[in-house]
Amino acid sequence: DAGVIQSPRHEVTEMGQEVTLRCKPISGHNSLFWYRQTMMRGLELLIYFNNNVPIDDSGMPEDRFSAKMPNASFSTLKIQPSEPRDSAVYFCASSLGSGPVYEQYFGPGTRLTVT
Amino acid sequence: AQKVTQAQTEISVVEKEDVTLDCVYETRDTTYYLFWYKQPPSGELVFLIRRNSFDEQNEISGRYSWNFQKSTSSFNFTITASQVVDSAVYFCALSGRNTGFQKLVFGTGTRLLVSP
């Protein structure tokens, strides 16, 4: 079975450019999570969706960040305009249901570098 | 507020040694869950174990074992007879009722290096 798929795996962009990260959750999973990992702040939850609906976006750092989940098999995280401090590894994860009994399966991550 | 502390930034051991990774947590929730994830050099996070706050039984899975003690707010992870393939960053995480259990709060991770 395919796991969580993220694209691109690596992205290098210049400051001010728009960046779109993509995620395809595991088929049948109805919860999706976006995390960011940096050396300074570790792993942080940015936003999560249940049944395509955003439930908690309190971790989104600022208005430059936005996330959508138009259907059960696709989600995007957009940064516009990007800044060097956005450089990080962004992980998408999905789970079969909501609640802690359903473990979160992580994708391979997208390494974003903003110059 | 919820917080997970992994005080050990990096641990180096020689193969076949036992090693314990410490995890201390803080939460006001009476119902919560604790997790361990492994992040190998390839980068993805791999789920290892989940424990709820009502189950303090220690768990063993092969060479891995976990010691959950509510009295000290700790959930430590021991690898017995470590192997080179155990080299990775290990994260402890917490989720609580106040945040619907879905928000994982991660510790800063412990990098384990097992040399042959």
Side-chain angles (χ1 to χ4, degrees):
Chain A
D1 287 341
V4 176
I5 299 172
Q6 292 187 246
S7 64
R9 293 292 309 276
H10 301 272
E11 177 80 35
V12 180
T13 191
E14 292 183 348
M15 182 174 64
Q17 297 297 306
E18 175 181 303
V19 175
T20 298
L21 311 181
R22 297 173 176 78
C23 174
K24 178 178 170 54
I26 294 172
S27 178
H29 283 195
N30 59 21
S31 293
L32 183 139
F33 308 80
W34 282 101
Y35 291 87
R36 179 172 68 175
Q37 185 177 32
T38 62
M39 289 294 293
M40 291 296 295
R41 301 176 65 91
L43 267 162
E44 305 172 278
L45 177 65
L46 301 177
I47 184 172
Y48 72 92
F49 297 81
N50 284 345
N51 296 312
N52 313 336
V53 176
I55 302 301
D56 187 339
D57 65 354
S58 59
M60 296 286 262
E62 48 198 275
D63 292 345
R64 298 184 296 106
F65 285 70
S66 62
K68 294 182 179 180
M69 192 164 186
N71 58 60
S73 59
F74 183 66
S75 177
T76 59
L77 178 68
K78 184 180 293 186
I79 308 172
Q80 180 185 22
S82 57
E83 297 182 2
R85 58 193 167 122
D86 302 330
S87 297
V89 180
Y90 291 82
F91 288 100
C92 176
S94 70
S95 65
L96 187 58
S98 59
V101 295
Y102 301 101
E103 53 256 39
Q104 297 181 21
Y105 293 83
F106 283 74
T110 295
R111 183 174 295 276
L112 173 65
T113 303
V114 183
T115 61
Chain B
Q2 297 181 328
K3 184 179 179 182
V4 175
T5 301
Q6 294 180 256
Q8 303 152 309
T9 305
E10 186 168 313
I11 301 175
S12 292
V13 298
V14 177
E15 213 170 15
K16 298 184 183 177
E17 285 185 22
D18 298 347
V19 58
T20 295
L21 310 181
D22 297 333
C23 172
V24 174
Y25 62 92
E26 297 175 30
T27 181
R28 294 178 183 169
D29 289 321
T30 55
T31 303
Y32 52 90
Y33 285 76
L34 295 161
F35 304 78
W36 276 94
Y37 279 84
K38 174 182 180 180
Q39 187 175 37
S42 53
E44 78 282 7
L45 279 92
V46 178
F47 168 83
L48 295 178
I49 191 172
R50 169 188 57 244
R51 227 27 181 180
N52 73 56
S53 52
F54 299 108
D55 184 0
E56 289 193 70
Q57 276 192 331
N58 291 335
E59 179 149 346
I60 298 175
S61 176
R63 296 184 297 106
Y64 295 172
S65 62
W66 291 270
N67 184 325
F68 175 29
Q69 292 195 338
K70 287 179 77 170
S71 60
T72 56
S73 297
S74 65
F75 186 42
N76 296 338
F77 173 29
T78 297
I79 301 175
T80 303
S82 59
Q83 299 176 1
V84 173
V85 293
D86 296 326
S87 296
V89 181
Y90 291 86
F91 291 93
C92 182
L94 166 71
S95 71
R97 177 183 292 280
N98 281 348
T99 54
F101 294 118
Q102 284 192 280
K103 288 187 71 170
L104 291 178
V105 174
F106 284 88
T108 50
T110 297
R111 181 178 300 277
L112 174 65
L113 178 59
V114 182
S115 29

